[in-house]
Amino acid sequence: MYTLETLNRLSEIQSDQDIKSLSHAIFPGTHCPLFGVALTASYIQNMIIVVIGTSECTYYTKNFAYHRQKGKDSVYSLVLDDNEVVFGAVNQVEKAIKEIIEIENPDAIMLVTTCVPELIGEDYTGVKYSLEQEGNIPIFVVQTEHFKCNSHIPGMSRTLKSFAQAMQPCAQNDSINILGHRQDKVDETELVQLLTKHGITINTVIPSKCTIEQIKEAPRAKLNIVTDMIALDLAKEMKHRFNIDYIYFDKHLNHKIIDENYKQIEGLFGISLQEDLEQVKLEYHQLFNRCQTLLTGKKLIYGNTPMMAFETVDFLSDLGLVPVFVQLRKLYDQDIKFKDNLLSKGYDPYISRIANIAPLRKLYDTISADLYVGHESPMLLKQKGMLQITFDVHAQKIGYELSIGMMKDMIKLFEMESMPMGGMIHAAM
């Protein structure tokens, strides 16, 4: 029997260890760091990813990258046999990398170690130093031991930070780097369109639009704009090594934070974006007021979105929703401000570790929410009387356009629900 009393409420969450799961047998569970590497590194053009591990790990990464790259496979699987699990595989890996360089002529290689090699304790950083000069290309080593963490996020952060090893000192110009953007069409985002209009060029976008040569010259930019938390470590490393400032312009939703980010950019480049932003600000506030009319008092279960959990729930509570149950991957430093905001507004929802859907389904009747934000079975939620919405389609947006897109979806969902034939809106949007 699962009960909400197993969990802590928001007011009891002081550290990550305070976040509990409804059951010890977690299902479906979180992705591993290896998935994070595949999500991030597969964007880099002509870079080979070499995964060292068991057959299921290597097949999983190769299959994902194959489909993501539409058949252009850049993943090599080095499967450990019984003898290598005991005695290690460094020599075989070195031999394989030499052959890959000879056959593929790549611009770089990323060597990814999974749980078994990490348990054995083999140090593959030595391969990097022995072959990097011989092959005359960068070799990055990324560790993805899932037994030390609970999600794919460390794999993404380590992948991006590893790229700093290839960067070289450059004469700076007035361009910017976008760090952490993992979607296509960055040129169509509000942020990039505004900067381009005012003559600021994009030096490179890591990882979604770059080559190894562009990564090497990333220190040419005057400023790094971090559009996803996963790139903060890379930005800090570039600040340390090349003294390049950065602005953390993540998928923020509150207008004050978005405005402050734009003002920082204005100050650094001596430009004014306010006239260009006037219309979107007006639209933001009109939609905000409309959402409050529709949503006030409705109870919310938060599952997962491309945005930060507490920041998103804080914004949704500003729109009038009452958070009663929040699923959290981890308590990050960036969460603290929004956690405190929720408590100051009088909200104290139950907090559960994310990706533990199976036991939560037993408690939907007890929670009795009106809306589920995130991925779940639409039909099951409909049976439990809940509407469902996901915001994945907005993941590539940066600036006011993100909040505006989300609020438009919310309005569409609840206005359609009030119509006589509104039953089909239970499906995820």
Side-chain angles (χ1 to χ4, degrees):
M1 176 67 73
Y2 303 111
T3 67
L4 290 172
E5 282 65 38
T6 305
L7 306 173
N8 283 323
R9 286 185 177 271
L10 180 63
S11 56
E12 299 170 292
I13 303 296
Q14 303 302 324
S15 69
D16 191 62
Q17 286 69 31
D18 296 324
I19 304 170
K20 299 180 179 179
S21 297
L22 283 166
S23 69
H24 295 292
I26 297 174
F27 181 81
T30 57
H31 292 295
C32 75
L34 179 59
F35 182 63
V37 173
L39 274 172
T40 312
S42 58
Y43 277 111
I44 310 302
Q45 298 172 31
N46 202 29
M47 183 177 78
I48 301 295
I49 304 170
V50 179
V51 182
I52 308 165
T54 57
S55 56
E56 57 267 34
C57 294
T58 58
Y59 172 79
Y60 166 76
T61 314
K62 189 178 182 71
N63 186 53
F64 175 82
Y66 180 85
H67 290 287
R68 186 186 185 89
Q69 295 171 344
K70 300 174 183 176
K72 187 182 176 184
D73 186 0
S74 63
V75 175
Y76 275 78
S77 301
L78 297 187
V79 182
L80 300 176
D81 60 25
D82 293 346
N83 182 66
E84 291 162 343
V85 167
V86 176
F87 298 105
V90 167
N91 292 338
Q92 291 90 328
V93 170
E94 285 186 341
K95 183 179 177 183
I97 289 177
K98 288 178 181 177
E99 291 181 5
I100 291 169
I101 292 174
E102 183 178 345
I103 295 169
E104 296 277 13
N105 191 28
D107 293 333
I109 288 179
M110 178 163 285
L111 200 56
V112 187
T113 60
T114 56
C115 289
V116 170
E118 289 300 322
L119 279 171
I120 297 169
E122 278 196 295
D123 182 8
Y124 283 91
T125 55
V127 177
K128 165 185 169 62
Y129 294 116
S130 64
L131 294 183
E132 202 165 46
Q133 190 169 6
E134 182 179 334
N136 197 31
I137 57 170
I139 296 178
F140 309 107
V141 180
V142 177
Q143 299 168 306
T144 64
E145 68 281 29
H146 198 189
F147 53 86
K148 287 186 178 178
C149 61
N150 193 39
S151 77
H152 59 290
I153 301 298
M156 302 170 86
S157 298
R158 292 171 192 171
T159 297
L160 293 179
K161 186 180 178 183
S162 74
F163 293 143
Q165 300 166 22
M167 293 179 183
Q168 302 163 351
C170 302
Q172 285 189 352
N173 54 33
D174 274 346
S175 63
I176 63 164
N177 295 318
I178 304 287
L179 304 185
H181 195 266
R182 295 183 294 106
Q183 293 80 27
D184 296 327
K185 301 179 181 178
V186 68
D187 296 334
E188 298 178 9
T189 61
E190 175 187 293
L191 172 68
V192 172
Q193 288 194 341
L194 273 175
L195 296 180
T196 303
K197 182 179 179 180
H198 286 266
I200 298 171
T201 58
I202 309 300
N203 185 49
T204 191
V205 182
I206 302 175
S208 61
K209 193 178 180 181
C210 66
T211 63
I212 291 298
E213 285 305 309
Q214 288 169 327
I215 288 175
K216 289 178 180 176
E217 295 186 356
R220 194 178 298 283
K222 178 180 180 179
L223 176 71
N224 285 324
I225 298 181
V226 178
T227 61
D228 194 299
M229 178 191 69
I230 60 169
L232 276 174
D233 288 346
L234 173 59
K236 291 173 183 175
E237 183 70 12
M238 292 179 70
K239 171 66 177 174
H240 172 69
R241 291 184 55 192
F242 306 107
N243 197 30
I244 300 176
D245 287 326
Y246 69 89
I247 293 175
Y248 181 47
F249 200 150
D250 204 340
K251 300 175 187 63
H252 299 305
L253 304 166
N254 184 286
H255 69 96
K256 292 179 181 176
I257 299 174
I258 299 168
D259 203 41
E260 179 59 31
N261 289 334
Y262 276 126
K263 284 179 178 173
Q264 285 189 62
I265 295 172
E266 288 176 324
L268 283 166
F269 287 95
I271 59 175
S272 176
L273 306 171
Q274 295 308 308
E275 186 176 344
D276 298 285
L277 291 169
E278 190 174 330
Q279 190 57 42
V280 289
K281 285 184 178 182
L282 178 62
E283 185 179 13
Y284 177 102
H285 291 293
Q286 288 175 339
L287 291 168
F288 189 92
N289 293 334
R290 205 165 147 199
C291 278
Q292 284 188 320
T293 302
L294 286 168
L295 304 179
T296 295
K298 299 190 183 304
K299 293 193 289 186
L300 163 71
I301 294 177
Y302 179 84
N304 190 23
T305 73
M307 286 68 78
M308 299 292 288
F310 279 153
E311 181 171 6
T312 307
V313 174
D314 184 37
F315 175 70
L316 295 175
S317 73
D318 286 340
L319 297 180
L321 289 167
V322 179
V324 292
F325 194 99
V326 176
Q327 297 164 72
L328 201 63
R329 175 176 293 108
K330 184 180 178 182
L331 184 65
Y332 297 102
D333 292 342
Q334 294 91 326
D335 289 320
I336 303 302
K337 176 171 66 174
F338 302 101
K339 168 180 171 286
D340 292 342
N341 284 350
L342 287 164
L343 289 171
S344 68
K345 287 184 280 190
Y347 299 121
D348 199 10
Y350 288 103
I351 306 297
S352 165
R353 192 74 73 178
I354 204 167
N356 195 196
I357 297 291
L360 177 59
R361 288 176 172 172
K362 306 289 186 183
L363 296 174
Y364 285 150
D365 290 332
T366 304
I367 298 170
S368 187
D370 300 290
L371 177 67
Y372 188 105
V373 173
H375 294 274
E376 235 289 32
S377 163
M379 297 310 297
L380 176 64
L381 294 176
K382 182 179 179 181
Q383 291 169 8
K384 298 297 181 182
M386 281 184 275
L387 297 177
Q388 180 192 21
I389 194 166
T390 63
F391 296 120
D392 299 39
V393 69
H394 303 297
Q396 81 282 5
K397 295 177 179 174
I398 313 169
Y400 289 99
E401 63 174 352
L402 173 58
S403 315
I404 286 172
M406 288 174 57
M407 288 190 286
K408 283 181 175 178
D409 280 358
M410 300 279 284
I411 290 167
K412 184 178 178 182
L413 179 69
F414 278 88
E415 286 188 341
M416 287 180 66
E417 172 64 8
S418 65
M419 295 178 184
M421 300 298 289
M424 291 303 292
I425 62 173
H426 289 275
M429 299 181 64

